[in-house]
Amino acid sequence: MTAIKPYGDATDDGLIQASFTLPIAESERARQAALEFARKMDLGRPQVVHMKAMGPDFTFFIVYGATQHSVDPDELEVPEREFPVLSYQEVNRVLRESLKRQLVVVGACTGTDAHTVGLDAILSMKGFAGDHGLEYFPEMRVLNLGSQVEPADIVETVRANGADAVLVSQVVTQRDAHLVHLKEVRDSLVDAGLRNGLILVGGGPRFSAEQAAELGYDKIFGRGTRPSEVASYLAYAATTRALNAG
Ligand code: B12
């Protein structure tokens, strides 16, 4: 394949749309500032197609413009998923055969974060996007601690229940608070001597899979994750752990 460019009105015209907020009151000067900003981003023929006041001192913009850049998809290194996505029956079978008991999963939304919908999408019986959540799997016991959970409470629950896996959710962020909160949970588990052998998973819309190593997590899931992916990963990780333990 050769290099490709965004398609707007005609092939290869490079037209894209960018949205951003500037700290300036809505006005003609604000519109000109948005256009100048787009030019500095190398967008050709920029147009402000939407401008809206966000309170008295901020303005939100949507700008169209033509980029000169292109991309060749064949030249990219695309990471492959290290585990297969299994059916509901296969996940249960794999867990039953490798563990011979239920997999104990602790889930929590930590820090100041009160966004529980994402965590519930993965954990709750009703699930998400047509998939059942982890509570639906008979081979798993799920302890959903809810929102704004302190790392010390996660540690205590892991210890008291002999948990196999911890699932940490972070949705809201400012100044990378989502990264800080995930690291706090990892550090607390390390300090308590519980990290070894534990499957530590983080998730939320601001994360990407590549961040797992820097955060000290086994796996990170991002926006749009389906419960079946998480269930399959847990089955894969639990089997690998059981094999390593001999
Ligand atoms: C619903 C909502 C709320 C509800 C939350 C209710 C609840 N019980 O969860 C309420 C009204 C309480 C709320 C409050 C606030 N919110 Co709010 N909220 C949202 C909203 C509209 C939807 C979030 C959602 O439910 N998504 C649906 C779920 C299914 O998607 P998800 O969270 O991404 O989860 C998926 C994946 O990320 C992943 N995942 C998530 N967690 C985990 C964990 C694991 C282990 C795994 C494997 C996967 C995983 O799997 C899920 C399924 O695919 C978003 C905007 C948006 N459209 O996303 C704003 C948004 C997240 N909120 C935002 C803000 C700013 C706030 C407030 C600070 C507002 C305020 N000034 O008070 C407060 C903060 C409160 C607090 N202390 O946390 C901002 C965050 C911006 C930022 N910088 O991070 C957003 C993006 C809106 C915006 N554009 O400004 N909010």
PDB file of all heavy atoms in Angstrom, residues 18-37:
ATOM      1  N   ALA A  18     -10.535  19.721  13.522  1.00  0.00           N
ATOM      2  CA  ALA A  18      -9.918  19.740  14.853  1.00  0.00           C
ATOM      3  C   ALA A  18     -10.831  20.525  15.794  1.00  0.00           C
ATOM      4  O   ALA A  18     -11.409  21.535  15.385  1.00  0.00           O
ATOM      5  CB  ALA A  18      -8.546  20.410  14.794  1.00  0.00           C
ATOM      6  N   SER A  19     -10.973  20.049  17.027  1.00  0.00           N
ATOM      7  CA  SER A  19     -11.768  20.803  18.002  1.00  0.00           C
ATOM      8  C   SER A  19     -10.884  21.154  19.187  1.00  0.00           C
ATOM      9  O   SER A  19     -10.040  20.358  19.612  1.00  0.00           O
ATOM     10  CB  SER A  19     -12.982  19.994  18.442  1.00  0.00           C
ATOM     11  OG  SER A  19     -12.590  18.850  19.142  1.00  0.00           O
ATOM     12  N   PHE A  20     -11.045  22.376  19.701  1.00  0.00           N
ATOM     13  CA  PHE A  20     -10.238  22.825  20.842  1.00  0.00           C
ATOM     14  C   PHE A  20     -10.908  24.029  21.496  1.00  0.00           C
ATOM     15  O   PHE A  20     -11.818  24.646  20.936  1.00  0.00           O
ATOM     16  CB  PHE A  20      -8.798  23.174  20.409  1.00  0.00           C
ATOM     17  CG  PHE A  20      -8.708  24.132  19.255  1.00  0.00           C
ATOM     18  CD1 PHE A  20      -8.694  25.510  19.464  1.00  0.00           C
ATOM     19  CD2 PHE A  20      -8.627  23.657  17.950  1.00  0.00           C
ATOM     20  CE1 PHE A  20      -8.598  26.397  18.399  1.00  0.00           C
ATOM     21  CE2 PHE A  20      -8.540  24.534  16.872  1.00  0.00           C
ATOM     22  CZ  PHE A  20      -8.535  25.913  17.098  1.00  0.00           C
ATOM     23  N   THR A  21     -10.443  24.319  22.705  1.00  0.00           N
ATOM     24  CA  THR A  21     -10.977  25.453  23.464  1.00  0.00           C
ATOM     25  C   THR A  21      -9.847  26.435  23.710  1.00  0.00           C
ATOM     26  O   THR A  21      -8.744  26.019  24.085  1.00  0.00           O
ATOM     27  CB  THR A  21     -11.538  24.957  24.811  1.00  0.00           C
ATOM     28  OG1 THR A  21     -12.559  24.000  24.545  1.00  0.00           O
ATOM     29  CG2 THR A  21     -12.126  26.095  25.641  1.00  0.00           C
ATOM     30  N   LEU A  22     -10.085  27.724  23.486  1.00  0.00           N
ATOM     31  CA  LEU A  22      -9.072  28.740  23.791  1.00  0.00           C
ATOM     32  C   LEU A  22      -9.549  29.579  24.980  1.00  0.00           C
ATOM     33  O   LEU A  22     -10.752  29.871  25.100  1.00  0.00           O
ATOM     34  CB  LEU A  22      -8.839  29.649  22.582  1.00  0.00           C
ATOM     35  CG  LEU A  22      -8.141  29.016  21.379  1.00  0.00           C
ATOM     36  CD1 LEU A  22      -8.019  30.032  20.230  1.00  0.00           C
ATOM     37  CD2 LEU A  22      -6.759  28.486  21.743  1.00  0.00           C
ATOM     38  N   PRO A  23      -8.610  29.999  25.837  1.00  0.00           N
ATOM     39  CA  PRO A  23      -8.991  30.793  27.020  1.00  0.00           C
ATOM     40  C   PRO A  23      -9.190  32.266  26.656  1.00  0.00           C
ATOM     41  O   PRO A  23      -8.421  33.137  27.081  1.00  0.00           O
ATOM     42  CB  PRO A  23      -7.809  30.579  27.977  1.00  0.00           C
ATOM     43  CG  PRO A  23      -6.650  30.324  27.085  1.00  0.00           C
ATOM     44  CD  PRO A  23      -7.174  29.643  25.851  1.00  0.00           C
ATOM     45  N   ILE A  24     -10.229  32.540  25.868  1.00  0.00           N
ATOM     46  CA  ILE A  24     -10.529  33.896  25.420  1.00  0.00           C
ATOM     47  C   ILE A  24     -12.046  33.979  25.227  1.00  0.00           C
ATOM     48  O   ILE A  24     -12.675  32.992  24.809  1.00  0.00           O
ATOM     49  CB  ILE A  24      -9.766  34.227  24.104  1.00  0.00           C
ATOM     50  CG1 ILE A  24     -10.082  35.635  23.616  1.00  0.00           C
ATOM     51  CG2 ILE A  24     -10.020  33.211  23.028  1.00  0.00           C
ATOM     52  CD1 ILE A  24      -9.226  36.083  22.412  1.00  0.00           C
ATOM     53  N   ALA A  25     -12.643  35.151  25.555  1.00  0.00           N
ATOM     54  CA  ALA A  25     -14.090  35.308  25.413  1.00  0.00           C
ATOM     55  C   ALA A  25     -14.490  35.228  23.941  1.00  0.00           C
ATOM     56  O   ALA A  25     -13.724  35.628  23.049  1.00  0.00           O
ATOM     57  CB  ALA A  25     -14.520  36.656  25.999  1.00  0.00           C
ATOM     58  N   GLU A  26     -15.698  34.702  23.656  1.00  0.00           N
ATOM     59  CA  GLU A  26     -16.177  34.569  22.280  1.00  0.00           C
ATOM     60  C   GLU A  26     -16.251  35.958  21.627  1.00  0.00           C
ATOM     61  O   GLU A  26     -16.859  36.883  22.180  1.00  0.00           O
ATOM     62  CB  GLU A  26     -17.563  33.926  22.263  1.00  0.00           C
ATOM     63  CG  GLU A  26     -18.049  33.648  20.852  1.00  0.00           C
ATOM     64  CD  GLU A  26     -19.489  33.150  20.841  1.00  0.00           C
ATOM     65  OE1 GLU A  26     -20.217  33.393  21.822  1.00  0.00           O
ATOM     66  OE2 GLU A  26     -19.869  32.547  19.831  1.00  0.00           O
ATOM     67  N   SER A  27     -15.607  36.107  20.458  1.00  0.00           N
ATOM     68  CA  SER A  27     -15.550  37.409  19.778  1.00  0.00           C
ATOM     69  C   SER A  27     -14.907  37.191  18.409  1.00  0.00           C
ATOM     70  O   SER A  27     -14.410  36.089  18.105  1.00  0.00           O
ATOM     71  CB  SER A  27     -14.657  38.379  20.581  1.00  0.00           C
ATOM     72  OG  SER A  27     -13.346  37.834  20.670  1.00  0.00           O
ATOM     73  N   GLU A  28     -14.863  38.220  17.579  1.00  0.00           N
ATOM     74  CA  GLU A  28     -14.191  38.114  16.280  1.00  0.00           C
ATOM     75  C   GLU A  28     -12.695  37.884  16.491  1.00  0.00           C
ATOM     76  O   GLU A  28     -12.057  37.128  15.757  1.00  0.00           O
ATOM     77  CB  GLU A  28     -14.452  39.383  15.452  1.00  0.00           C
ATOM     78  CG  GLU A  28     -13.811  39.386  14.074  1.00  0.00           C
ATOM     79  CD  GLU A  28     -14.154  38.158  13.213  1.00  0.00           C
ATOM     80  OE1 GLU A  28     -15.205  37.529  13.430  1.00  0.00           O
ATOM     81  OE2 GLU A  28     -13.323  37.819  12.329  1.00  0.00           O
ATOM     82  N   ARG A  29     -12.133  38.523  17.553  1.00  0.00           N
ATOM     83  CA  ARG A  29     -10.706  38.312  17.848  1.00  0.00           C
ATOM     84  C   ARG A  29     -10.448  36.845  18.184  1.00  0.00           C
ATOM     85  O   ARG A  29      -9.426  36.257  17.794  1.00  0.00           O
ATOM     86  CB  ARG A  29     -10.280  39.227  19.014  1.00  0.00           C
ATOM     87  CG  ARG A  29      -8.785  39.175  19.325  1.00  0.00           C
ATOM     88  CD  ARG A  29      -8.360  40.276  20.275  1.00  0.00           C
ATOM     89  NE  ARG A  29      -8.493  41.607  19.679  1.00  0.00           N
ATOM     90  CZ  ARG A  29      -7.591  42.169  18.877  1.00  0.00           C
ATOM     91  NH1 ARG A  29      -6.468  41.533  18.600  1.00  0.00           N
ATOM     92  NH2 ARG A  29      -7.782  43.363  18.367  1.00  0.00           N
ATOM     93  N   ALA A  30     -11.378  36.251  18.923  1.00  0.00           N
ATOM     94  CA  ALA A  30     -11.240  34.825  19.287  1.00  0.00           C
ATOM     95  C   ALA A  30     -11.256  33.964  18.017  1.00  0.00           C
ATOM     96  O   ALA A  30     -10.466  33.027  17.867  1.00  0.00           O
ATOM     97  CB  ALA A  30     -12.373  34.416  20.222  1.00  0.00           C
ATOM     98  N   ARG A  31     -12.175  34.282  17.071  1.00  0.00           N
ATOM     99  CA  ARG A  31     -12.265  33.517  15.819  1.00  0.00           C
ATOM    100  C   ARG A  31     -10.956  33.614  15.034  1.00  0.00           C
ATOM    101  O   ARG A  31     -10.427  32.620  14.525  1.00  0.00           O
ATOM    102  CB  ARG A  31     -13.439  34.036  14.977  1.00  0.00           C
ATOM    103  CG  ARG A  31     -13.962  33.021  13.970  1.00  0.00           C
ATOM    104  CD  ARG A  31     -15.163  33.569  13.224  1.00  0.00           C
ATOM    105  NE  ARG A  31     -14.774  34.627  12.306  1.00  0.00           N
ATOM    106  CZ  ARG A  31     -14.312  34.415  11.074  1.00  0.00           C
ATOM    107  NH1 ARG A  31     -14.223  33.176  10.622  1.00  0.00           N
ATOM    108  NH2 ARG A  31     -13.945  35.409  10.314  1.00  0.00           N
ATOM    109  N   GLN A  32     -10.402  34.847  14.977  1.00  0.00           N
ATOM    110  CA  GLN A  32      -9.130  35.049  14.262  1.00  0.00           C
ATOM    111  C   GLN A  32      -8.001  34.290  14.965  1.00  0.00           C
ATOM    112  O   GLN A  32      -7.098  33.756  14.303  1.00  0.00           O
ATOM    113  CB  GLN A  32      -8.797  36.550  14.184  1.00  0.00           C
ATOM    114  CG  GLN A  32      -9.741  37.351  13.299  1.00  0.00           C
ATOM    115  CD  GLN A  32      -9.696  36.898  11.831  1.00  0.00           C
ATOM    116  OE1 GLN A  32      -8.701  36.377  11.352  1.00  0.00           O
ATOM    117  NE2 GLN A  32     -10.814  37.099  11.132  1.00  0.00           N
ATOM    118  N   ALA A  33      -8.064  34.248  16.302  1.00  0.00           N
ATOM    119  CA  ALA A  33      -7.025  33.517  17.057  1.00  0.00           C
ATOM    120  C   ALA A  33      -7.086  32.037  16.717  1.00  0.00           C
ATOM    121  O   ALA A  33      -6.047  31.373  16.543  1.00  0.00           O
ATOM    122  CB  ALA A  33      -7.222  33.731  18.554  1.00  0.00           C
ATOM    123  N   ALA A  34      -8.298  31.497  16.604  1.00  0.00           N
ATOM    124  CA  ALA A  34      -8.450  30.080  16.266  1.00  0.00           C
ATOM    125  C   ALA A  34      -7.899  29.805  14.860  1.00  0.00           C
ATOM    126  O   ALA A  34      -7.216  28.796  14.628  1.00  0.00           O
ATOM    127  CB  ALA A  34      -9.917  29.677  16.355  1.00  0.00           C
ATOM    128  N   LEU A  35      -8.175  30.721  13.907  1.00  0.00           N
ATOM    129  CA  LEU A  35      -7.668  30.547  12.536  1.00  0.00           C
ATOM    130  C   LEU A  35      -6.142  30.592  12.507  1.00  0.00           C
ATOM    131  O   LEU A  35      -5.490  29.777  11.838  1.00  0.00           O
ATOM    132  CB  LEU A  35      -8.228  31.651  11.637  1.00  0.00           C
ATOM    133  CG  LEU A  35      -9.686  31.503  11.233  1.00  0.00           C
ATOM    134  CD1 LEU A  35     -10.161  32.752  10.487  1.00  0.00           C
ATOM    135  CD2 LEU A  35      -9.868  30.262  10.363  1.00  0.00           C
ATOM    136  N   GLU A  36      -5.572  31.530  13.251  1.00  0.00           N
ATOM    137  CA  GLU A  36      -4.113  31.652  13.281  1.00  0.00           C
ATOM    138  C   GLU A  36      -3.490  30.410  13.911  1.00  0.00           C
ATOM    139  O   GLU A  36      -2.460  29.901  13.456  1.00  0.00           O
ATOM    140  CB  GLU A  36      -3.728  32.921  14.068  1.00  0.00           C
ATOM    141  CG  GLU A  36      -2.241  33.218  14.123  1.00  0.00           C
ATOM    142  CD  GLU A  36      -1.605  33.421  12.729  1.00  0.00           C
ATOM    143  OE1 GLU A  36      -2.342  33.556  11.739  1.00  0.00           O
ATOM    144  OE2 GLU A  36      -0.360  33.406  12.664  1.00  0.00           O
ATOM    145  N   PHE A  37      -4.157  29.926  14.968  1.00  0.00           N
ATOM    146  CA  PHE A  37      -3.678  28.714  15.620  1.00  0.00           C
ATOM    147  C   PHE A  37      -3.681  27.545  14.623  1.00  0.00           C
ATOM    148  O   PHE A  37      -2.715  26.782  14.542  1.00  0.00           O
ATOM    149  CB  PHE A  37      -4.561  28.407  16.834  1.00  0.00           C
ATOM    150  CG  PHE A  37      -4.101  27.235  17.620  1.00  0.00           C
ATOM    151  CD1 PHE A  37      -2.918  27.291  18.343  1.00  0.00           C
ATOM    152  CD2 PHE A  37      -4.833  26.056  17.626  1.00  0.00           C
ATOM    153  CE1 PHE A  37      -2.474  26.206  19.062  1.00  0.00           C
ATOM    154  CE2 PHE A  37      -4.394  24.968  18.339  1.00  0.00           C
ATOM    155  CZ  PHE A  37      -3.216  25.035  19.054  1.00  0.00           C
TER     156      PHE A  37
END
